[in-house]
Amino acid sequence: METSCLRAVVIGIGNTILTDEAAGVRVVEALERAYEVPPNVQLIDGGTSGMEMIEELSNLDILIVVDVVKTGAAPGTVVKISGDEIPVFFRKKLSPHQVALPDVLACLELLDTMPKEIIVLGVEPVSLELGMEMTSTVARQVPVLVEMAAAELVKRGYALTARTALVV
Amino acid sequence: MSKRITIDPITRIEGHLRIDVDVDGGKVQKAWSSGQMWRGVELILLGRDPRDAWAITQRICGVCTTVHAITSVRAVENALKLEIPLNAQYIRNLIILAHSVHDFIVHFYHLSALDWVDVTSALKADPDKTAILGESLSSWHLNSKHEMRRVHERLKHFVNGGQLGIFTNGYWGHPAMKLSPEVNLLAVAHYLQALEVQRKANKIVAILGSKTPHIQNVAVGGVANPLATDSQAVLTVERLMAIKGWIDELSDFVKNVYLIDVAAVGAFYPEWTQIGKGITNYLSVPDIPLDTKGTQFAFPGGFIEGGNLAGRKPITSFNDAYWTKGVEESVKHSWYDYEKAGALHPFKGETKPNYTDFKDDAKYSWMKSPTFYGKTAQVGPLARVLNGVAAGHAPTTKYATAALDTVSALAQTKIGLDAMHSTIGRHAARAITCCVNVDLLADQWTALLSNMGKGDLSTFNKPVFPKDEIMGMGFHEAPRGALSHWVVIDNGKIKNYQCVVPSTWNACPRNEKDEPGPYESSLLNTPIADPEKPLEVLRTIHSFDPCIACAIHLTDTQSDTAITVKAV
């Protein structure tokens, strides 16, 4: 299959006015600044939205979710969740009345348009207090998550071009 | 013996809303609504450029992004006495209306319907009988036998595969679930169709707002959409024609499916037209401005006290002193302190947290308690519909009559406007409003094209900030009701900013006079069949479409909704 037929989305989710909650969105912004992505890769600032994203997340080959996560590990720890852990991870929190990413995924399941593969890249937060700036512990992990997301895309044959290379 | 039921959080979307009820003799005797998270966006805005406030305020909430953006620019423009070009007004109106249609459809089908519809019962339905029922109710093309068989198969596959997924935590088989298997299957079919159709509304927002979920095109002074009748890169006639196609599809669904389904739920659950009344002071603001100054609106707002429609007082413009002077917020029962006792006007509003733990008779919520001339008021589609009917607004009256006629026909008894003061009434009002809005969407589309046809392509008037202090208020009749932003600007910088949001009006704690808020009031005397499964509480709270602005979105592998019941 031609690479151009495949579709990928990297979505950053979180509330940008609650310090470390912004991490997912900031990673997507930084990824956009660092790399030129092909047209079949879409980078989305998902914020705290839900059902609005159904259209864009339908029929993907890979969905990479970047978010803050609370797994009990130390603050600043970077986590990758994939494979069999994904359904457990999302299903655990489902209820008929939540509209957040797990619900969007459940809707995609109902519509038979689930992404073929899902990966969550996350970071454990230090603070979720009100504020426009992340803590330095989490901010330091943003470039790490950017490279992780880029590597996942490249591994699957999506051609990313570093923007610094373009300038030179 | 009295039992205390605590539901915390009610759901994730509502961003940590906690509801407590004391139940005795099978009925709710006392209720408390508590916002469990501090929303301090006002503090973030201090000292910032007022032209940036809309982009920050649209991050308050994941559901209501566009509504805060629009209300914020209206507040700053009001402070500057700045008119905006007609095209900008129309484009904003299209975004507002498309967003509301999206929100209403999703709210009813995906957030509330499962309070009334038993998915597992739908499995027992006869698909052919379901189709006959559906076709007797409306001319919707997807009520066919073929479609009902398809949905039935899909549902069976889904449930048998152990993939209940989104349906896992429902109250299946609860004694308060009363629909027949066929009605349940019809509702499940419409649930799936609604998932498809809601995309069209969101596409309209995405094209006009340049991006979704967070629109990019709003600016103090207008919108940033370059208009052209020839270029490809901008909002072209071709794109506008695509929008018209989606409006027509939405219109079909909203009038032939949504309105009918809500009427059917009302007819099959007649007792719920007698439950959930609560506060009958109804407050709404006019919206969909039709001129550059915002003095004429496509639908009216006003204040109805004690359910007396004849005594309605209108609110007529952004500068109507009856509105701007009437709003106050109390923190007597909220985790804040004001310098002096008593409620404060939003221009004088203070945001100083003081957390005390949950105290039934003192402070117990992060939400303030807003009042209108000292009175707690219910906001939202019901307030808007009752104001519309009281004001003789023809489109509102038309769809309200259509809804009540359908309920009456199905229930085989006359159901009047009085039934609207209820849990079901709030759902009906939302469907009625959605019908009005989908028609307005078509009207505004025509108005935009006709104005562009006259050669007017302007979309932006540049704002100029004076050195002295100015104040402004912007309001918006958002999907959940009257939203207002209040801004004080000094030398081009924000000096004070207060958002008085619809869910604060409805979900507020007791006011300065210790009177309960709309949620709290609406729960009183609600019958509870099983305290461990308080479905009845959820039905009434969900009828308000709660959305506690500030939805934190942490992916948490450890927490779950907890219902605790204890003797008191």
Side-chain angles (χ1 to χ4, degrees):
Chain A
M1 196 189 280
E2 288 289 314
T3 309
S4 59
C5 300
L6 301 170
R7 280 185 64 226
V9 161
V10 183
I11 186 166
I13 54 181
N15 193 329
T16 56
I17 60 176
L18 297 174
T19 50
D20 289 341
E21 259 264 313
V25 173
R26 299 298 173 231
V27 167
V28 165
E29 289 168 353
L31 183 64
E32 199 162 8
R33 279 195 302 273
Y35 293 97
E36 191 171 344
V37 299
N40 57 341
V41 176
Q42 209 186 343
L43 309 179
I44 301 176
D45 161 8
T48 53
S49 298
M51 305 295 274
E52 293 87 346
M53 300 186 292
I54 284 185
E55 181 83 12
E56 267 125 351
L57 303 189
S58 285
N59 295 313
L60 295 176
D61 290 281
I62 177 150
L63 170 65
I64 300 176
V65 178
V66 193
D67 196 0
V68 284
V69 294
K70 226 175 176 177
T71 60
T77 307
V78 168
V79 188
K80 174 181 161 180
I81 300 163
S82 61
D84 294 345
E85 299 164 330
I86 288 284
V88 182
F89 184 75
F90 283 121
R91 194 154 296 150
K92 208 178 156 196
K93 304 179 301 293
L94 295 180
S95 92
H97 307 294
Q98 301 171 340
V99 177
L101 194 63
D103 309 274
V104 174
L105 294 176
C107 289
L108 294 177
E109 202 171 16
L110 273 176
L111 292 168
D112 213 8
T113 60
M114 269 294 259
K116 291 201 183 83
E117 189 187 359
I118 300 173
I119 295 177
V120 176
L121 300 177
V123 57
E124 291 279 341
V126 176
S127 159
L128 300 172
E129 296 292 305
L130 188 74
M132 302 282 287
E133 303 293 327
M134 290 178 283
T135 62
S136 58
T137 309
V138 168
R140 215 176 294 133
Q141 301 293 17
V142 167
V144 176
L145 287 161
V146 166
E147 290 315 313
M148 282 169 76
E152 296 292 347
L153 289 170
V154 170
K155 201 160 79 185
R156 287 165 184 78
Y158 298 93
L160 270 55
T161 318
R163 288 193 193 271
T164 44
L166 291 177
V167 176
V168 175
Chain B
M1 187 178 63
S2 174
K3 275 185 176 163
R4 177 69 168 259
I5 305 175
T6 301
I7 309 174
D8 179 20
I10 279 267
T11 82
R12 179 162 157 156
I13 183 180
E14 294 129 20
H16 302 189
L17 169 67
R18 166 177 164 178
I19 297 286
D20 283 56
V21 287
D22 279 355
V23 178
D24 201 359
K27 286 189 169 180
V28 174
Q29 305 297 336
K30 271 183 165 181
W32 293 262
S33 163
S34 167
Q36 290 286 296
M37 183 162 295
W38 181 38
R39 186 202 76 212
V41 69
E42 285 93 345
L43 296 183
I44 283 189
L45 292 167
L46 298 182
R48 288 183 189 267
D49 188 325
R51 288 171 299 182
D52 299 336
W54 69 269
I56 297 170
T57 58
Q58 80 165 331
R59 298 284 177 167
I60 293 177
C61 169
V63 180
C64 320
T65 51
T66 62
V67 310
H68 285 293
I70 299 277
T71 310
S72 178
V73 289
R74 282 182 177 173
V76 178
E77 286 156 5
N78 181 253
L80 294 171
K81 298 185 174 61
L82 179 66
E83 287 181 41
I84 65 167
L86 208 47
N87 289 326
Q89 207 71 281
Y90 293 148
I91 290 173
R92 287 184 189 176
N93 288 343
L94 285 165
I95 291 175
I96 288 170
L97 291 162
H99 169 79
S100 77
V101 170
H102 178 265
D103 206 357
F104 290 145
I105 293 173
V106 168
H107 174 262
F108 181 68
Y109 287 99
H110 309 118
L111 303 181
S112 301
L114 301 184
D115 292 348
W116 310 91
V117 172
D118 189 331
V119 172
T120 53
S121 151
L123 286 171
K124 297 179 205 127
D126 175 338
D128 290 4
K129 280 191 193 155
T130 307
I132 294 167
L133 170 73
E135 285 168 347
S136 75
L137 291 174
S138 92
S139 60
W140 173 243
H141 70 287
L142 287 176
N143 283 342
S144 65
K145 285 183 185 170
H146 174 76
E147 173 73 2
M148 293 307 148
R149 285 178 196 162
R150 191 187 71 83
V151 170
H152 193 249
E153 277 306 309
R154 177 129 194 83
L155 188 63
K156 238 180 359 191
H157 167 78
F158 208 74
V159 174
N160 293 345
Q163 283 180 300
L164 260 177
I166 199 160
F167 301 137
T168 21
N169 293 344
Y171 288 124
W172 316 136
H174 192 283
M177 290 285 193
K178 289 186 180 163
L179 299 180
S180 71
E182 282 72 28
V183 176
N184 281 318
L185 179 60
L186 190 64
V188 170
H190 294 165
Y191 178 108
L192 293 172
Q193 293 162 8
L195 277 177
E196 295 283 351
V197 82
Q198 56 95 22
R199 302 181 190 195
K200 320 277 171 170
N202 197 49
K203 277 181 171 186
I204 299 175
V205 178
I207 286 201
L208 294 170
S210 307
K211 227 175 171 185
T212 166
H214 305 99
I215 55 173
Q216 308 286 318
N217 71 314
V218 173
V220 171
V223 293
N225 303 72
L227 293 180
T229 45
D230 47 7
S231 162
Q232 279 303 311
V234 293
L235 197 55
T236 59
V237 171
E238 197 182 354
R239 287 187 182 195
L240 287 165
M241 291 312 293
I243 289 176
K244 184 63 170 63
W246 297 324
I247 294 174
D248 293 342
E249 286 182 57
L250 288 163
S251 177
D252 189 13
F253 183 84
V254 166
K255 292 172 194 170
N256 293 316
V257 182
Y258 179 19
L259 191 68
I260 308 290
D261 283 350
V262 172
V265 170
F268 297 132
Y269 286 101
E271 68 278 20
W272 283 89
T273 61
Q274 307 296 319
I275 298 171
K277 185 178 193 173
I279 301 289
T280 54
N281 300 323
Y282 295 103
L283 181 66
S284 74
V285 291
D287 210 331
I288 310 305
L290 302 172
D291 59 359
T292 56
K293 288 181 183 165
T295 55
Q296 293 171 42
F297 297 89
F299 64 82
F303 185 54
I304 293 169
E305 209 178 315
N308 175 20
L309 269 60
R312 166 186 175 266
K313 290 184 187 150
I315 293 165
T316 57
S317 80
F318 291 132
N319 295 312
D320 191 335
Y322 176 56
W323 161 263
T324 50
K325 291 193 173 149
V327 179
E328 283 183 329
E329 291 188 295
S330 157
V331 293
K332 189 172 172 186
H333 294 279
S334 319
W335 288 314
Y336 301 94
D337 278 337
Y338 283 164
E339 270 183 34
K340 284 185 239 164
L344 284 179
H345 187 273
F347 281 141
K348 304 265 165 67
E350 297 168 12
T351 312
K352 287 175 203 148
N354 171 26
Y355 182 73
T356 62
D357 213 342
F358 195 107
K359 296 195 189 303
D360 286 5
D361 297 316
K363 291 177 184 286
Y364 60 89
S365 178
W366 281 117
M367 266 178 271
K368 296 180 180 179
S369 184
T371 50
F372 196 59
Y373 293 98
K375 298 200 162 58
T376 291
Q378 182 180 153
V379 302
L382 180 55
R384 176 174 153 184
V385 166
L386 293 175
N387 264 285
V389 170
H393 183 246
T396 304
T397 310
K398 177 177 132 185
Y399 290 111
T401 307
L404 291 170
D405 285 352
T406 308
V407 183
S408 302
L410 288 169
Q412 296 177 336
T413 174
K414 181 75 190 152
I415 305 286
L417 199 63
D418 274 2
M420 296 290 287
H421 303 280
S422 65
T423 294
I424 285 288
R426 276 184 284 273
H427 282 296
R430 200 167 285 113
I432 293 162
T433 302
C434 196
C435 289
V436 173
N437 281 8
V438 85
D439 283 351
L440 285 174
L441 196 53
D443 291 350
Q444 291 295 300
W445 183 88
T446 308
L448 174 64
L449 250 75
S450 136
N451 196 53
M452 285 170 68
K454 287 178 196 152
D456 177 4
L457 297 177
S458 73
T459 55
F460 178 68
N461 294 334
K462 195 175 186 311
V464 180
F465 289 86
K467 284 216 157 34
D468 45 337
E469 184 177 296
I470 51 173
M471 290 189 285
M473 184 288 309
F475 61 50
H476 168 34
E477 182 68 16
R480 287 162 191 76
L483 166 67
S484 54
H485 286 197
W486 307 71
V487 62
V488 181
I489 301 166
D490 190 16
N491 195 17
K493 296 281 179 240
I494 294 171
K495 190 178 167 190
N496 198 356
Y497 203 104
Q498 296 289 324
C499 310
V500 185
V501 310
S503 292
T504 307
W505 283 99
N506 286 337
C508 63
R510 288 154 175 68
N511 66 17
E512 203 67 23
K513 287 177 270 182
D514 307 321
E515 296 159 338
Y519 281 15
E520 298 174 334
S521 207
S522 69
L523 290 171
L524 301 178
N525 295 315
T526 298
I528 305 291
D530 178 358
E532 302 289 337
K533 292 179 178 173
L535 174 62
E536 298 89 343
V537 171
L538 295 180
R539 282 183 173 168
T540 292
I541 295 300
H542 287 154
S543 76
F544 285 94
D545 193 0
C547 175
I548 305 314
C550 77
I552 188 165
H553 195 287
L554 181 77
T555 299
D556 191 339
T557 56
Q558 291 159 340
S559 76
D560 250 322
T561 297
I563 295 168
T564 57
V565 181
K566 61 179 185 202
V568 288

